[in-house]
Amino acid sequence: MDQSLLLLQVSFALIIGLMMTRVFKYLHLNLPDVTAYLIAGILIGPYFLGHLGFEGVGLLTMAEVEHLNIVSSVALGFIAFAIGNEFRLSELKSIGKKATFIGIFQALIATLLVDIVLVAVSLTTHIISIPVAITLGAIAAATAPAATLMVVRQYKAKGKITDLLLPIVAIDDAVGLIIFAVSFGIAQAIGTSHISITAIVVEPIIEIIGSLLLGTLMGVILTYLEKLFFSNKNRVALSIGFVILTITLSTRHFDIAGVNVHFSTLLVNMMMGTTLCNLCERSADIMERCDKWTTPLFALFFILSGAELEIGVFKEISMVIVGIIYIISRCIGKYYGAYFSAKVSGCDETACKYLGITLFPQAGVALGMVATAQALGGMDAVVIRNVVLFAVMIYEIFGPAMTRNALAAAGEISSKPKEKENHDRFAKA
């Protein structure tokens, strides 16, 4: 692909995404910037502006969107790095047990409920197969750390729910990886009558332990190297370089004695962020400066996510029906799983009431699971892909606003987002 065309598409995507946030403001649409970026991505993607054939302006094909996947991969790594910074041991002493219990319990409940409902659909209507139902149930556990982080940052959310939310999202995705590996192994066994203990048990454990060890190692090395610099600008540059290096290392996979060893980019970078924030005295300043650098990168992540959403899934009525069932059953599982586990953990009624809503968004991690699920082959792979794409489209468009509204109802965000407060301050000056 021509590099000049690539740069033109990236710059155009970023500008259109930012302009869409102004359109939302002008129309008095009280929605998070994440939603504006996603809508902008849909508009410039292959199914709208790109379909009209404006080369360099729109993204004409999914192949062109995939050429920009490196931007999304880097952004997701920085998002994970930022979430890892929330795991400070001084703060986890008070919320660590609660976050861990809630994160595990609500993920399991969401998976169980979706499994039950979709297996019932499979047995009564035969729209989907049992392997598809089990796989979709596993994917239901995953949340969207990127959307959650962006909403929390935009509205400067603070409070008991916010303190729990980011650690829960991180734990949720780790648990989701295990659930998916086990469930997908079972789904494959149903189709082939062959159960692989290695794929179901050994590989997921190695992935999680390996990811945590690699992230810790990179965090320790980064902490040591930060001490060699006295300029905060250089420390930030070093941190950025390390995150990109860690993203690259976490994409490697190899076989050892027949076992496929690979890493989770999310877990590796989360663990590196966690290690840095607990070992480096200057971590808070470094993270604050990194946040400013990564703002346009995060915007591009959501714009490209919008461009990846395939509008064509709405043509399949059966997929829409299954998608709606999946969305409703997953939301019920997430909400009540979080509600009851929060109540058992001793959280107040406000946290119990609103925490589950903040866990509705779903995107990148789920789509990564879909890529693995394509190993089922045939119509099963197509059904899983279309149902999850449909669900992700709905979750990504409405999920961030629901998270914002839940945090607002819980009294954890200010009446004005950060941008508005800065505007008012400069206007008074």
Side-chain angles (χ1 to χ4, degrees):
M1 186 177 183
D2 183 31
Q3 290 186 350
S4 61
L5 178 60
L6 182 68
L7 290 173
L8 179 62
Q9 290 176 331
V10 169
S11 59
F12 183 77
L14 182 57
I15 292 170
I16 291 297
L18 291 170
M19 290 300 102
M20 185 60 67
T21 65
R22 300 306 91 191
V23 171
F24 275 32
K25 298 290 183 185
Y26 178 78
L27 297 176
H28 302 291
L29 297 176
N30 190 22
L31 295 171
D33 288 347
V34 173
T35 306
Y37 296 144
L38 289 163
I39 297 297
I42 293 173
L43 293 178
I44 68 170
Y47 297 94
F48 194 79
L49 191 57
H51 186 68
L52 300 178
F54 291 100
E55 186 173 0
V57 179
L59 295 165
L60 303 185
T61 64
M62 288 303 293
E64 291 189 359
V65 177
E66 291 171 359
H67 271 105
L68 298 174
N69 276 350
I70 187 172
V71 176
S72 298
S73 297
V74 172
L76 195 58
F78 276 100
I79 289 166
F81 183 62
I83 291 177
N85 190 55
E86 302 296 324
F87 284 83
R88 296 182 182 274
L89 293 179
S90 57
E91 298 175 5
L92 286 179
K93 289 179 181 178
S94 59
I95 66 169
K97 292 182 179 179
K98 290 182 180 179
T100 301
F101 178 69
I102 296 171
I104 294 173
F105 189 82
Q106 56 81 30
L108 291 172
I109 292 300
T111 294
L112 181 61
L113 185 59
V114 173
D115 274 342
I116 292 172
V117 172
L118 290 185
V119 166
V121 170
S122 173
L123 294 175
T124 56
T125 68
H126 305 293
I127 296 177
I128 58 175
S129 67
I130 297 294
V132 167
I134 294 174
T135 304
L136 287 174
I139 294 174
T143 52
T148 303
L149 180 66
M150 287 286 282
V151 171
V152 168
R153 284 186 173 177
Q154 181 183 351
Y155 293 95
K156 297 193 299 183
K158 292 181 180 180
K160 294 180 180 179
I161 295 178
T162 305
D163 291 341
L164 282 170
L165 180 56
L166 293 179
I168 287 174
V169 168
I171 292 167
D172 176 274
D173 287 325
V175 174
L177 290 174
I178 297 175
I179 294 174
F180 178 77
V182 174
S183 297
F184 186 59
I186 294 172
Q188 287 182 305
I190 292 174
T192 62
S193 299
H194 174 69
I195 298 177
S196 172
I197 299 300
T198 299
I200 295 176
V201 180
V202 178
E203 290 182 0
I205 293 175
I206 291 177
E207 177 181 1
I208 292 175
I209 294 176
S211 297
L212 296 177
L213 290 176
L214 177 60
T216 300
L217 175 63
M218 297 302 289
V220 170
I221 296 174
L222 175 58
T223 300
Y224 175 77
L225 294 179
E226 294 282 4
K227 298 176 181 178
L228 302 179
F229 296 90
F230 301 97
S231 166
N232 284 331
K233 292 181 179 179
N234 287 335
R235 293 190 186 106
V236 171
L238 178 66
S239 299
I240 292 170
F242 247 76
V243 173
I244 295 174
L245 172 61
T246 304
I247 293 168
T248 305
L249 292 176
S250 63
T251 60
R252 304 299 177 187
H253 57 88
F254 44 88
D255 290 330
I256 298 179
V259 177
N260 184 19
V261 178
H262 53 280
F263 305 97
S264 164
T265 301
L266 273 175
L267 289 182
V268 172
N269 284 279
M270 280 180 189
M271 195 62 200
M272 183 170 70
T274 299
T275 304
L276 178 69
C277 77
N278 285 287
L279 296 182
C280 181
E281 296 178 355
R282 306 178 185 88
S283 63
D285 183 66
I286 291 171
M287 294 304 301
E288 183 178 353
R289 291 171 181 266
C290 282
D291 289 347
K292 296 177 181 178
W293 184 87
T294 55
T295 296
L297 188 62
F298 290 177
L300 274 172
F301 173 81
F302 287 103
I303 294 165
L304 294 176
S305 295
E308 287 181 323
L309 298 178
E310 297 188 17
I311 308 299
V313 297
F314 287 102
K315 296 179 181 178
E316 297 285 342
I317 300 301
S318 61
M319 294 304 98
V320 172
I321 293 173
V322 175
I324 291 173
I325 295 172
Y326 169 84
I327 290 171
I328 294 174
S329 56
R330 177 181 176 272
C331 287
I332 293 173
K334 285 286 182 183
Y335 181 83
Y336 285 103
Y339 181 89
F340 290 117
S341 56
K343 186 171 280 293
V344 170
S345 300
C347 296
D348 60 34
E349 188 60 30
T350 300
C352 295
K353 183 177 180 180
Y354 294 108
L355 180 59
I357 299 174
T358 65
L359 299 174
F360 287 172
Q362 186 177 51
V365 178
L367 293 176
M369 293 176 177
V370 168
T372 302
Q374 298 308 291
L376 283 176
M379 280 304 299
D380 282 353
V382 174
V383 171
I384 291 170
R385 184 172 183 274
N386 287 344
V387 169
V388 175
L389 281 174
F390 171 79
V392 165
M393 185 179 301
I394 302 302
Y395 280 130
E396 285 292 84
I397 293 175
F398 298 102
M402 296 180 74
T403 298
R404 190 278 317 276
N405 291 340
L407 292 174
E412 299 201 2
I413 64 175
S414 61
S415 57
K416 299 178 181 179
K418 185 176 182 180
E419 177 187 359
K420 178 63 177 175
E421 288 188 356
N422 290 339
H423 178 273
D424 291 347
R425 187 170 67 253
F426 285 125
K428 291 179 181 178

